[in-house]
Amino acid sequence: MGVAVSIQQVTKTFGNLKALDGVCLEIAEGEFFGLLGPNGAGKTTLISCLAGLVRPDTGRLKVMDFDVQGDYREARRLLGIVPQELVFDPFFTVRETLRIQSGYFGIRQNDDWIDEILDNLDLTAKADTNMRRLSGGMKRRVLVAQALVHKPPVIVLDEPTAGVDVELRQGLWQFVRRLNNEGHTVILTTHYLEEAETLCARVAMLKLGCVVALDSTRNLLDRYSGHTLSLRLANGDDLPLSIRQQASLIGGYLNFHLASYDEVEPLLAAVRQSGGVIQDIRMSEADLEDVFIDVMRGRDGARERAGS
Amino acid sequence: MSGFRTLLYKEVLRFWKVSFQTVAAPVLTALLYLLIFAHVLESRVEINGLRYTAFLVPGLVMMSVLQNAFANSSSSLIQAKVTGSIIFVLLPPISYVEFYLAYVVAAVLRGLMVGLGVLVVTGWFASLEFAAPGWIVVFAMIGGGIMGSLGMIAGIWADKFDQLAAFQNFLIMPLTMLSGVFYSIHSLPAFWQDVSHFNPVFYMIDGFRYGFFGVSDVSPVVSLGVTSVSFLVVGLATLALLRKGYKLRY
Ligand SMILES: Nc1ncnc2c1ncn2[C@@H]1O[C@H](COP(=O)(O)OP(=O)(O)OP(=O)(O)O)[C@@H](O)[C@H]1O
Ligand SMILES: [Mg+2]
């Protein structure tokens, strides 16, 4: 598999604000990649650099080996960008918008594919409606459709599900997943972390313009937050302090934070030994939100815990 | 080159869809000018041996061409910038030269369309000649090209609509109004005649008018030279801005 997107040492300053501070990323062809980070982290700026909308101060960006400045024609042909802002051209209908967008990419007869996109995004009924008359969520769908008219091998979605209803969200993911299965590389930013967790095989987390975490979603979940073992005891108060101190008490459950499954058995043994009677037991996985919060706090406690 | 074709098509479709405001309205404005000025001056003024109405009509036509060419590219760009839809033309593989050509050709087309409309409506009130039609077309195209380019510069530079309005009111309007649309500069005091010779719009109007009557304040060849050089300068300036991505790509 080749490299779909390569970002090397990209820096961008707005005034005296460092929006991107030496970002390096490499995304392989066919990946479903998540770009996460709090508001203002630099996600959109990074995507804009890739799209050629923002020119980085230093560093290089390539799409499938084509430099986004030097070989901008090839690079842009390979990219489909769904922008974060809800923008539209009020002069045209949905179909006109999509035909025009196809033309910009040099595609003359694109109606079959346009119909397919419209169908998948549940826009067929609105095909001949003026953009102005669409609801916010529908405008967002048109933005997705516009990004796909030229069947770009690399699809970048900047918060595509903001303001979109549940049904379309499901439909959109199904469609994007299908495209990913057919070989399209997908890069996604979202603030819905469960979405990222289920969809993205690998994620990068950005904070103040720096990549602060970059790994497969699986590894991040394992390494950063481990698992939580929740116990309800008939006689919780009787437990020795040494054990109780390890746990936090939430809703009658003692929650133990464990780095790995290996720690389960010793803990249960210790509880039993001290006479604890277990009424209920639950094991829960950390989710990406836990990881995210850990990473963004900047303390590497989770990592240390995982390593020890 | 297909990016250019589509962008041109989009730009034409954009003004055509609202042609009531973009074509019909300026034709009406020009007609009102004609009716008022002709009513007041027709019996009193004769210029270069022409009746005032006949003198005025080509001036009004050219002024409409120029103002509408400017309006087209400037309003299209500022609207796209303010609404953010400019990204739809920045994301595709369209070169800055194609970008320039598409906007300028669309601006010229709108200018010509309005100009033709004004000619048809106002020409009815005057006995026009077409002494050298080639010059008419050439000056209309060059003038539209210059103003279309200036419109691009203004639309790219302005961040808000009122900045664009300032550009239009303090630069474009004085240049066109004081260019000899309504009078021959020979009727001006010597000082203002000299000043007028520094206004490129004067040469556009004067050359354009030559195409109708075969008489002009300066030779049409001189006007062609001045307007061509102006076009070159403004065009290259616009291309340089686009190439740099000034206020379009940060
Ligand atoms: N054109 C600009 N001019 C000045 N500052 C900018 C510009 N674009 C972005 N910034 C700043 O750069 C920083 C990164 O912004 P960016 O839009 O990339 O964040 P983001 O990660 O996409 O955030 P969000 O999740 O809110 O979309 C922010 O502090 C923002 O204010
Ligand atoms: Mg953003």
PDB file of all heavy atoms in Angstrom, chain A residues 12-15 17-20 36-48 54 84-85 158-159 189 191 206 209, chain B residues 250, ligand 1:
ATOM      1  N   LYS A  12       2.309  26.577  10.673  1.00  0.00           N
ATOM      2  CA  LYS A  12       1.542  27.705  10.162  1.00  0.00           C
ATOM      3  C   LYS A  12       1.228  28.671  11.297  1.00  0.00           C
ATOM      4  O   LYS A  12       0.706  28.270  12.325  1.00  0.00           O
ATOM      5  CB  LYS A  12       0.245  27.219   9.503  1.00  0.00           C
ATOM      6  CG  LYS A  12      -0.624  28.346   8.984  1.00  0.00           C
ATOM      7  CD  LYS A  12      -0.022  29.011   7.781  1.00  0.00           C
ATOM      8  CE  LYS A  12      -0.750  30.275   7.398  1.00  0.00           C
ATOM      9  NZ  LYS A  12      -0.158  30.932   6.226  1.00  0.00           N
ATOM     10  N   THR A  13       1.569  29.912  11.100  1.00  0.00           N
ATOM     11  CA  THR A  13       1.303  30.933  12.109  1.00  0.00           C
ATOM     12  C   THR A  13       0.305  31.940  11.558  1.00  0.00           C
ATOM     13  O   THR A  13       0.427  32.389  10.426  1.00  0.00           O
ATOM     14  CB  THR A  13       2.601  31.692  12.458  1.00  0.00           C
ATOM     15  OG1 THR A  13       3.711  30.856  12.140  1.00  0.00           O
ATOM     16  CG2 THR A  13       2.656  32.045  13.901  1.00  0.00           C
ATOM     17  N   PHE A  14      -0.683  32.272  12.354  1.00  0.00           N
ATOM     18  CA  PHE A  14      -1.595  33.370  12.029  1.00  0.00           C
ATOM     19  C   PHE A  14      -1.272  34.491  13.015  1.00  0.00           C
ATOM     20  O   PHE A  14      -1.565  34.371  14.193  1.00  0.00           O
ATOM     21  CB  PHE A  14      -3.054  32.959  12.208  1.00  0.00           C
ATOM     22  CG  PHE A  14      -3.534  31.930  11.222  1.00  0.00           C
ATOM     23  CD1 PHE A  14      -3.880  30.656  11.645  1.00  0.00           C
ATOM     24  CD2 PHE A  14      -3.651  32.244   9.870  1.00  0.00           C
ATOM     25  CE1 PHE A  14      -4.345  29.712  10.741  1.00  0.00           C
ATOM     26  CE2 PHE A  14      -4.115  31.299   8.966  1.00  0.00           C
ATOM     27  CZ  PHE A  14      -4.457  30.035   9.397  1.00  0.00           C
ATOM     28  N   GLY A  15      -0.690  35.584  12.547  1.00  0.00           N
ATOM     29  CA  GLY A  15      -0.280  36.641  13.472  1.00  0.00           C
ATOM     30  C   GLY A  15       0.770  36.072  14.407  1.00  0.00           C
ATOM     31  O   GLY A  15       1.826  35.639  13.963  1.00  0.00           O
ATOM     32  N   LEU A  17      -0.136  33.581  16.492  1.00  0.00           N
ATOM     33  CA  LEU A  17      -0.715  32.330  16.953  1.00  0.00           C
ATOM     34  C   LEU A  17      -0.190  31.164  16.115  1.00  0.00           C
ATOM     35  O   LEU A  17      -0.320  31.164  14.894  1.00  0.00           O
ATOM     36  CB  LEU A  17      -2.240  32.397  16.834  1.00  0.00           C
ATOM     37  CG  LEU A  17      -2.965  31.141  17.273  1.00  0.00           C
ATOM     38  CD1 LEU A  17      -3.888  31.451  18.420  1.00  0.00           C
ATOM     39  CD2 LEU A  17      -3.731  30.517  16.123  1.00  0.00           C
ATOM     40  N   LYS A  18       0.431  30.212  16.785  1.00  0.00           N
ATOM     41  CA  LYS A  18       0.926  29.041  16.062  1.00  0.00           C
ATOM     42  C   LYS A  18      -0.217  28.053  15.915  1.00  0.00           C
ATOM     43  O   LYS A  18      -0.532  27.323  16.845  1.00  0.00           O
ATOM     44  CB  LYS A  18       2.073  28.395  16.841  1.00  0.00           C
ATOM     45  CG  LYS A  18       3.439  28.815  16.330  1.00  0.00           C
ATOM     46  CD  LYS A  18       4.476  27.740  16.554  1.00  0.00           C
ATOM     47  CE  LYS A  18       5.641  27.956  15.615  1.00  0.00           C
ATOM     48  NZ  LYS A  18       6.928  28.063  16.297  1.00  0.00           N
ATOM     49  N   ALA A  19      -0.839  28.050  14.740  1.00  0.00           N
ATOM     50  CA  ALA A  19      -1.976  27.147  14.532  1.00  0.00           C
ATOM     51  C   ALA A  19      -1.485  25.724  14.286  1.00  0.00           C
ATOM     52  O   ALA A  19      -2.129  24.759  14.686  1.00  0.00           O
ATOM     53  CB  ALA A  19      -2.823  27.629  13.365  1.00  0.00           C
ATOM     54  N   LEU A  20      -0.353  25.588  13.626  1.00  0.00           N
ATOM     55  CA  LEU A  20       0.258  24.278  13.407  1.00  0.00           C
ATOM     56  C   LEU A  20       1.737  24.396  13.771  1.00  0.00           C
ATOM     57  O   LEU A  20       2.417  25.328  13.357  1.00  0.00           O
ATOM     58  CB  LEU A  20       0.119  23.839  11.949  1.00  0.00           C
ATOM     59  CG  LEU A  20      -1.299  23.579  11.451  1.00  0.00           C
ATOM     60  CD1 LEU A  20      -1.283  23.293   9.961  1.00  0.00           C
ATOM     61  CD2 LEU A  20      -1.946  22.439  12.211  1.00  0.00           C
ATOM     62  N   LEU A  36      -8.380  14.043  15.499  1.00  0.00           N
ATOM     63  CA  LEU A  36      -9.164  14.523  16.628  1.00  0.00           C
ATOM     64  C   LEU A  36      -8.446  15.646  17.351  1.00  0.00           C
ATOM     65  O   LEU A  36      -7.235  15.815  17.222  1.00  0.00           O
ATOM     66  CB  LEU A  36      -9.420  13.366  17.606  1.00  0.00           C
ATOM     67  CG  LEU A  36     -10.005  12.084  17.000  1.00  0.00           C
ATOM     68  CD1 LEU A  36     -10.200  11.030  18.080  1.00  0.00           C
ATOM     69  CD2 LEU A  36     -11.316  12.362  16.292  1.00  0.00           C
ATOM     70  N   GLY A  37      -9.204  16.368  18.120  1.00  0.00           N
ATOM     71  CA  GLY A  37      -8.608  17.455  18.900  1.00  0.00           C
ATOM     72  C   GLY A  37      -9.672  18.460  19.272  1.00  0.00           C
ATOM     73  O   GLY A  37     -10.687  18.565  18.600  1.00  0.00           O
ATOM     74  N   PRO A  38      -9.425  19.203  20.355  1.00  0.00           N
ATOM     75  CA  PRO A  38     -10.425  20.171  20.803  1.00  0.00           C
ATOM     76  C   PRO A  38     -10.565  21.339  19.830  1.00  0.00           C
ATOM     77  O   PRO A  38      -9.789  21.449  18.882  1.00  0.00           O
ATOM     78  CB  PRO A  38      -9.865  20.665  22.140  1.00  0.00           C
ATOM     79  CG  PRO A  38      -8.408  20.386  22.075  1.00  0.00           C
ATOM     80  CD  PRO A  38      -8.231  19.196  21.191  1.00  0.00           C
ATOM     81  N   ASN A  39     -11.527  22.205  20.049  1.00  0.00           N
ATOM     82  CA  ASN A  39     -11.723  23.394  19.207  1.00  0.00           C
ATOM     83  C   ASN A  39     -10.435  24.198  19.162  1.00  0.00           C
ATOM     84  O   ASN A  39      -9.806  24.443  20.189  1.00  0.00           O
ATOM     85  CB  ASN A  39     -12.828  24.291  19.770  1.00  0.00           C
ATOM     86  CG  ASN A  39     -14.201  23.648  19.673  1.00  0.00           C
ATOM     87  OD1 ASN A  39     -14.996  23.738  20.589  1.00  0.00           O
ATOM     88  ND2 ASN A  39     -14.479  22.988  18.568  1.00  0.00           N
ATOM     89  N   GLY A  40     -10.056  24.572  17.961  1.00  0.00           N
ATOM     90  CA  GLY A  40      -8.868  25.411  17.822  1.00  0.00           C
ATOM     91  C   GLY A  40      -7.560  24.646  17.819  1.00  0.00           C
ATOM     92  O   GLY A  40      -6.487  25.240  17.833  1.00  0.00           O
ATOM     93  N   ALA A  41      -7.635  23.315  17.786  1.00  0.00           N
ATOM     94  CA  ALA A  41      -6.410  22.514  17.831  1.00  0.00           C
ATOM     95  C   ALA A  41      -5.605  22.638  16.539  1.00  0.00           C
ATOM     96  O   ALA A  41      -4.393  22.441  16.523  1.00  0.00           O
ATOM     97  CB  ALA A  41      -6.750  21.052  18.095  1.00  0.00           C
ATOM     98  N   GLY A  42      -6.285  22.953  15.435  1.00  0.00           N
ATOM     99  CA  GLY A  42      -5.572  23.078  14.169  1.00  0.00           C
ATOM    100  C   GLY A  42      -6.004  22.066  13.122  1.00  0.00           C
ATOM    101  O   GLY A  42      -5.390  21.973  12.053  1.00  0.00           O
ATOM    102  N   LYS A  43      -7.070  21.336  13.390  1.00  0.00           N
ATOM    103  CA  LYS A  43      -7.517  20.306  12.447  1.00  0.00           C
ATOM    104  C   LYS A  43      -7.890  20.904  11.099  1.00  0.00           C
ATOM    105  O   LYS A  43      -7.416  20.454  10.042  1.00  0.00           O
ATOM    106  CB  LYS A  43      -8.726  19.547  13.026  1.00  0.00           C
ATOM    107  CG  LYS A  43      -8.481  18.946  14.395  1.00  0.00           C
ATOM    108  CD  LYS A  43      -9.713  18.256  14.949  1.00  0.00           C
ATOM    109  CE  LYS A  43     -10.898  19.162  15.202  1.00  0.00           C
ATOM    110  NZ  LYS A  43     -10.686  20.137  16.295  1.00  0.00           N
ATOM    111  N   THR A  44      -8.747  21.910  11.153  1.00  0.00           N
ATOM    112  CA  THR A  44      -9.192  22.516   9.899  1.00  0.00           C
ATOM    113  C   THR A  44      -8.032  23.194   9.177  1.00  0.00           C
ATOM    114  O   THR A  44      -7.927  23.133   7.948  1.00  0.00           O
ATOM    115  CB  THR A  44     -10.318  23.532  10.175  1.00  0.00           C
ATOM    116  OG1 THR A  44     -11.400  22.831  10.784  1.00  0.00           O
ATOM    117  CG2 THR A  44     -10.806  24.185   8.896  1.00  0.00           C
ATOM    118  N   THR A  45      -7.145  23.819   9.930  1.00  0.00           N
ATOM    119  CA  THR A  45      -5.987  24.457   9.313  1.00  0.00           C
ATOM    120  C   THR A  45      -5.131  23.420   8.583  1.00  0.00           C
ATOM    121  O   THR A  45      -4.671  23.659   7.458  1.00  0.00           O
ATOM    122  CB  THR A  45      -5.151  25.180  10.383  1.00  0.00           C
ATOM    123  OG1 THR A  45      -6.003  26.051  11.123  1.00  0.00           O
ATOM    124  CG2 THR A  45      -4.039  25.991   9.754  1.00  0.00           C
ATOM    125  N   LEU A  46      -4.962  22.270   9.218  1.00  0.00           N
ATOM    126  CA  LEU A  46      -4.157  21.219   8.588  1.00  0.00           C
ATOM    127  C   LEU A  46      -4.821  20.735   7.303  1.00  0.00           C
ATOM    128  O   LEU A  46      -4.165  20.566   6.268  1.00  0.00           O
ATOM    129  CB  LEU A  46      -3.978  20.052   9.577  1.00  0.00           C
ATOM    130  CG  LEU A  46      -3.017  18.953   9.137  1.00  0.00           C
ATOM    131  CD1 LEU A  46      -1.616  19.508   8.968  1.00  0.00           C
ATOM    132  CD2 LEU A  46      -3.004  17.807  10.146  1.00  0.00           C
ATOM    133  N   ILE A  47      -6.136  20.538   7.368  1.00  0.00           N
ATOM    134  CA  ILE A  47      -6.867  20.101   6.176  1.00  0.00           C
ATOM    135  C   ILE A  47      -6.777  21.166   5.086  1.00  0.00           C
ATOM    136  O   ILE A  47      -6.595  20.852   3.904  1.00  0.00           O
ATOM    137  CB  ILE A  47      -8.337  19.798   6.547  1.00  0.00           C
ATOM    138  CG1 ILE A  47      -8.385  18.544   7.431  1.00  0.00           C
ATOM    139  CG2 ILE A  47      -9.190  19.612   5.306  1.00  0.00           C
ATOM    140  CD1 ILE A  47      -9.742  18.292   8.053  1.00  0.00           C
ATOM    141  N   SER A  48      -6.871  22.428   5.486  1.00  0.00           N
ATOM    142  CA  SER A  48      -6.775  23.515   4.513  1.00  0.00           C
ATOM    143  C   SER A  48      -5.395  23.551   3.858  1.00  0.00           C
ATOM    144  O   SER A  48      -5.276  23.894   2.682  1.00  0.00           O
ATOM    145  CB  SER A  48      -7.063  24.855   5.180  1.00  0.00           C
ATOM    146  OG  SER A  48      -8.320  24.821   5.796  1.00  0.00           O
ATOM    147  N   VAL A  54      -4.722  26.988   2.497  1.00  0.00           N
ATOM    148  CA  VAL A  54      -3.813  27.680   3.398  1.00  0.00           C
ATOM    149  C   VAL A  54      -2.407  27.258   3.013  1.00  0.00           C
ATOM    150  O   VAL A  54      -2.164  26.090   2.720  1.00  0.00           O
ATOM    151  CB  VAL A  54      -4.109  27.296   4.874  1.00  0.00           C
ATOM    152  CG1 VAL A  54      -2.976  27.723   5.781  1.00  0.00           C
ATOM    153  CG2 VAL A  54      -5.417  27.929   5.335  1.00  0.00           C
ATOM    154  N   GLN A  84     -15.787  22.197   6.826  1.00  0.00           N
ATOM    155  CA  GLN A  84     -16.510  22.272   8.086  1.00  0.00           C
ATOM    156  C   GLN A  84     -17.639  23.296   8.034  1.00  0.00           C
ATOM    157  O   GLN A  84     -18.727  23.055   8.537  1.00  0.00           O
ATOM    158  CB  GLN A  84     -15.510  22.642   9.190  1.00  0.00           C
ATOM    159  CG  GLN A  84     -16.148  22.846  10.536  1.00  0.00           C
ATOM    160  CD  GLN A  84     -15.121  23.127  11.620  1.00  0.00           C
ATOM    161  OE1 GLN A  84     -13.935  23.259  11.358  1.00  0.00           O
ATOM    162  NE2 GLN A  84     -15.575  23.212  12.834  1.00  0.00           N
ATOM    163  N   GLU A  85     -17.354  24.436   7.411  1.00  0.00           N
ATOM    164  CA  GLU A  85     -18.355  25.496   7.359  1.00  0.00           C
ATOM    165  C   GLU A  85     -19.473  25.113   6.391  1.00  0.00           C
ATOM    166  O   GLU A  85     -19.220  24.536   5.336  1.00  0.00           O
ATOM    167  CB  GLU A  85     -17.728  26.805   6.876  1.00  0.00           C
ATOM    168  CG  GLU A  85     -16.599  27.307   7.735  1.00  0.00           C
ATOM    169  CD  GLU A  85     -17.075  27.800   9.098  1.00  0.00           C
ATOM    170  OE1 GLU A  85     -18.231  28.247   9.194  1.00  0.00           O
ATOM    171  OE2 GLU A  85     -16.272  27.725  10.043  1.00  0.00           O
ATOM    172  N   ASP A 158     -14.410  17.087   7.208  1.00  0.00           N
ATOM    173  CA  ASP A 158     -14.184  17.944   8.374  1.00  0.00           C
ATOM    174  C   ASP A 158     -15.513  18.133   9.101  1.00  0.00           C
ATOM    175  O   ASP A 158     -16.335  18.957   8.721  1.00  0.00           O
ATOM    176  CB  ASP A 158     -13.610  19.295   7.919  1.00  0.00           C
ATOM    177  CG  ASP A 158     -12.969  20.069   9.068  1.00  0.00           C
ATOM    178  OD1 ASP A 158     -13.117  19.624  10.229  1.00  0.00           O
ATOM    179  OD2 ASP A 158     -12.329  21.100   8.800  1.00  0.00           O
ATOM    180  N   GLU A 159     -15.714  17.345  10.113  1.00  0.00           N
ATOM    181  CA  GLU A 159     -16.951  17.354  10.902  1.00  0.00           C
ATOM    182  C   GLU A 159     -18.208  17.242  10.039  1.00  0.00           C
ATOM    183  O   GLU A 159     -19.068  18.125  10.070  1.00  0.00           O
ATOM    184  CB  GLU A 159     -17.009  18.602  11.777  1.00  0.00           C
ATOM    185  CG  GLU A 159     -15.890  18.604  12.793  1.00  0.00           C
ATOM    186  CD  GLU A 159     -16.038  19.701  13.821  1.00  0.00           C
ATOM    187  OE1 GLU A 159     -17.171  20.015  14.191  1.00  0.00           O
ATOM    188  OE2 GLU A 159     -15.012  20.229  14.250  1.00  0.00           O
ATOM    189  N   THR A 189     -12.531  14.237  10.685  1.00  0.00           N
ATOM    190  CA  THR A 189     -12.465  14.903  11.979  1.00  0.00           C
ATOM    191  C   THR A 189     -13.871  14.944  12.535  1.00  0.00           C
ATOM    192  O   THR A 189     -14.838  15.095  11.795  1.00  0.00           O
ATOM    193  CB  THR A 189     -11.949  16.362  11.931  1.00  0.00           C
ATOM    194  OG1 THR A 189     -13.038  17.222  11.614  1.00  0.00           O
ATOM    195  CG2 THR A 189     -10.841  16.542  10.926  1.00  0.00           C
ATOM    196  N   HIS A 191     -16.127  15.595  16.554  1.00  0.00           N
ATOM    197  CA  HIS A 191     -16.101  15.729  18.010  1.00  0.00           C
ATOM    198  C   HIS A 191     -16.924  14.618  18.668  1.00  0.00           C
ATOM    199  O   HIS A 191     -16.974  14.533  19.880  1.00  0.00           O
ATOM    200  CB  HIS A 191     -16.617  17.101  18.430  1.00  0.00           C
ATOM    201  CG  HIS A 191     -15.672  18.207  18.060  1.00  0.00           C
ATOM    202  ND1 HIS A 191     -14.449  18.362  18.651  1.00  0.00           N
ATOM    203  CD2 HIS A 191     -15.752  19.186  17.136  1.00  0.00           C
ATOM    204  CE1 HIS A 191     -13.820  19.414  18.129  1.00  0.00           C
ATOM    205  NE2 HIS A 191     -14.597  19.924  17.191  1.00  0.00           N
ATOM    206  N   LEU A 206      -4.656  16.060  18.026  1.00  0.00           N
ATOM    207  CA  LEU A 206      -3.961  17.328  17.861  1.00  0.00           C
ATOM    208  C   LEU A 206      -4.288  18.223  19.052  1.00  0.00           C
ATOM    209  O   LEU A 206      -5.425  18.266  19.518  1.00  0.00           O
ATOM    210  CB  LEU A 206      -4.471  18.003  16.585  1.00  0.00           C
ATOM    211  CG  LEU A 206      -3.469  18.481  15.549  1.00  0.00           C
ATOM    212  CD1 LEU A 206      -2.631  17.318  15.083  1.00  0.00           C
ATOM    213  CD2 LEU A 206      -4.215  19.087  14.359  1.00  0.00           C
ATOM    214  N   GLY A 209      -1.878  22.670  17.842  1.00  0.00           N
ATOM    215  CA  GLY A 209      -1.060  22.557  16.643  1.00  0.00           C
ATOM    216  C   GLY A 209      -0.015  21.462  16.669  1.00  0.00           C
ATOM    217  O   GLY A 209       0.805  21.366  15.756  1.00  0.00           O
TER     218      GLY A 209
ATOM    219  N   TYR B 250      -4.684  31.638   2.216  1.00  0.00           N
ATOM    220  CA  TYR B 250      -3.926  32.258   3.306  1.00  0.00           C
ATOM    221  C   TYR B 250      -2.610  31.549   3.582  1.00  0.00           C
ATOM    222  O   TYR B 250      -2.474  30.387   3.305  1.00  0.00           O
ATOM    223  CB  TYR B 250      -4.780  32.268   4.569  1.00  0.00           C
ATOM    224  CG  TYR B 250      -5.850  33.320   4.466  1.00  0.00           C
ATOM    225  CD1 TYR B 250      -7.093  33.029   3.918  1.00  0.00           C
ATOM    226  CD2 TYR B 250      -5.588  34.626   4.865  1.00  0.00           C
ATOM    227  CE1 TYR B 250      -8.060  34.006   3.799  1.00  0.00           C
ATOM    228  CE2 TYR B 250      -6.548  35.608   4.741  1.00  0.00           C
ATOM    229  CZ  TYR B 250      -7.781  35.287   4.209  1.00  0.00           C
ATOM    230  OH  TYR B 250      -8.725  36.265   4.082  1.00  0.00           O
TER     231      TYR B 250
HETATM  232  N1  LIG C   1      -7.654  32.536   8.798  1.00  0.00           N
HETATM  233  C1  LIG C   1      -7.275  32.569  10.078  1.00  0.00           C
HETATM  234  N2  LIG C   1      -6.781  33.697  10.608  1.00  0.00           N
HETATM  235  C2  LIG C   1      -6.386  33.738  11.891  1.00  0.00           C
HETATM  236  N3  LIG C   1      -6.436  32.702  12.742  1.00  0.00           N
HETATM  237  C3  LIG C   1      -6.921  31.543  12.272  1.00  0.00           C
HETATM  238  C4  LIG C   1      -7.365  31.410  10.929  1.00  0.00           C
HETATM  239  N4  LIG C   1      -7.788  30.139  10.749  1.00  0.00           N
HETATM  240  C5  LIG C   1      -7.627  29.524  11.927  1.00  0.00           C
HETATM  241  N5  LIG C   1      -7.101  30.342  12.857  1.00  0.00           N
HETATM  242  C6  LIG C   1      -6.750  29.990  14.245  1.00  0.00           C
HETATM  243  O1  LIG C   1      -5.974  28.814  14.207  1.00  0.00           O
HETATM  244  C7  LIG C   1      -6.312  27.946  15.274  1.00  0.00           C
HETATM  245  C8  LIG C   1      -6.699  26.591  14.712  1.00  0.00           C
HETATM  246  O2  LIG C   1      -7.953  26.704  14.068  1.00  0.00           O
HETATM  247  P1  LIG C   1      -8.641  25.485  13.347  1.00  0.00           P
HETATM  248  O3  LIG C   1      -9.830  26.006  12.647  1.00  0.00           O
HETATM  249  O4  LIG C   1      -7.640  24.759  12.549  1.00  0.00           O
HETATM  250  O5  LIG C   1      -9.098  24.589  14.585  1.00  0.00           O
HETATM  251  P2  LIG C   1      -9.914  23.226  14.570  1.00  0.00           P
HETATM  252  O6  LIG C   1      -9.056  22.202  15.194  1.00  0.00           O
HETATM  253  O7  LIG C   1     -10.434  22.933  13.231  1.00  0.00           O
HETATM  254  O8  LIG C   1     -11.103  23.583  15.570  1.00  0.00           O
HETATM  255  P3  LIG C   1     -12.653  23.156  15.530  1.00  0.00           P
HETATM  256  O9  LIG C   1     -12.764  21.850  16.198  1.00  0.00           O
HETATM  257  O10 LIG C   1     -13.316  24.227  16.319  1.00  0.00           O
HETATM  258  O11 LIG C   1     -13.087  23.136  14.112  1.00  0.00           O
HETATM  259  C9  LIG C   1      -7.427  28.627  16.034  1.00  0.00           C
HETATM  260  O12 LIG C   1      -6.863  29.249  17.171  1.00  0.00           O
HETATM  261  C10 LIG C   1      -7.965  29.663  15.080  1.00  0.00           C
HETATM  262  O13 LIG C   1      -8.434  30.780  15.766  1.00  0.00           O
END
